[in-house]
Amino acid sequence: MLAIAINDIPLTLQTAPELFSPGGLDAGTAAMLSCINLLPSDKVLDLGCGYGVVGIYAAKCIGAERVTMCDIDPLAVEQARQNAALNNVPDVKIVQSDGFRSIDDFGFTVILSNPPYHADFSVPKHFIEKGFNRLAIGGRMLMVTKRRDWYKNKFISIFGGVKIQEVDGYFVFIAEKRTQSFASKKSR
């Protein structure tokens, strides 16, 4: 059982050794959360939720009915459900999904993700491209990684720009959806 606090909000979490950062809040996620200010009107997606830290924190801040969490790993999804109940936000929507493939919702104002960035770029590419389409105009995507250049270029090509904050050796990318279409059109 883990006991952590994010911005003075205490969380109690169960995890499993097979899941990402089983020993506690990882520095990348902490860096990303230091760059977000959630509003009561936000509609949040925790993309790749793991055992639920980010989504449960968001649900405690703005209400469970305003948060969706997803992960491809059935163990992560089950652990996130248990942790949502443990933290008194059992009504948060938690979906097993390979990226956006099983997410039917649109109009998110905030998408938060700490993607697997030590493998190839197919997962973050999917997250960024499809995330753009799921955001409301004015919505923001925040993603944290240890790598800069590929992510910077990808966000610029899709969103038309990106703000990058370096926090504790991590890069937090913050991109805002300003139009309905990608910034650069692909040739047909």
Side-chain angles (χ1 to χ4, degrees):
M1 196 74 79
L2 300 172
I4 63 171
I6 302 169
N7 297 328
D8 297 324
I9 295 178
L11 300 178
T12 303
L13 303 159
Q14 297 175 11
T15 185
E18 303 89 345
L19 299 176
F20 174 70
S21 193
L25 182 65
D26 74 286
T29 299
M32 179 179 64
L33 291 175
S34 76
C35 296
I36 187 69
N37 204 6
L38 295 173
L39 303 173
S41 60
D42 277 328
K43 180 178 178 183
V44 174
L45 173 63
D46 177 3
L47 182 58
C49 68
Y51 55 86
V53 174
V54 171
I56 292 168
Y57 167 74
K60 299 283 274 182
C61 290
I62 64 170
E65 69 283 356
R66 305 200 60 78
V67 178
T68 300
M69 301 163 57
C70 73
D71 202 286
I72 191 171
D73 184 342
L75 176 60
V77 169
E78 180 54 35
Q79 213 55 89
R81 284 191 178 116
Q82 290 176 12
N83 286 329
L86 191 61
N87 287 277
N88 300 312
V89 289
D91 297 334
V92 68
K93 182 177 180 182
I94 304 173
V95 180
Q96 184 178 342
S97 182
D98 181 359
F100 288 94
R101 290 175 179 92
S102 298
I103 302 290
D104 54 7
D105 215 350
F106 287 84
F108 293 102
T109 59
V110 177
I111 297 175
L112 300 164
S113 185
N114 183 353
Y117 52 84
H118 294 297
D120 65 42
F121 292 105
S122 64
V123 172
K125 179 180 185 284
H126 169 79
F127 283 11
I128 294 166
E129 290 176 355
K130 300 304 180 189
F132 178 91
N133 296 326
R134 299 304 180 96
L135 283 169
I137 295 291
R140 296 161 294 149
M141 175 177 259
L142 281 80
M143 186 174 281
V144 63
T145 75
K146 280 277 205 181
R147 298 179 179 181
R148 181 184 174 108
D149 292 341
W150 183 91
Y151 290 89
K152 175 185 174 187
N153 294 334
K154 187 64 179 176
F155 273 109
I156 289 171
S157 75
I158 300 301
F159 285 83
V162 65
K163 180 179 174 186
I164 304 168
Q165 292 187 359
E166 191 170 351
V167 181
D168 295 331
Y170 288 87
F171 299 105
V172 180
F173 300 87
I174 306 167
E176 182 180 334
K177 181 175 180 175
R178 296 184 180 146
T179 65
Q180 289 292 6
S181 57
F182 286 172
S184 63
K185 304 282 186 200
K186 293 187 169 47
S187 53
R188 299 185 191 272

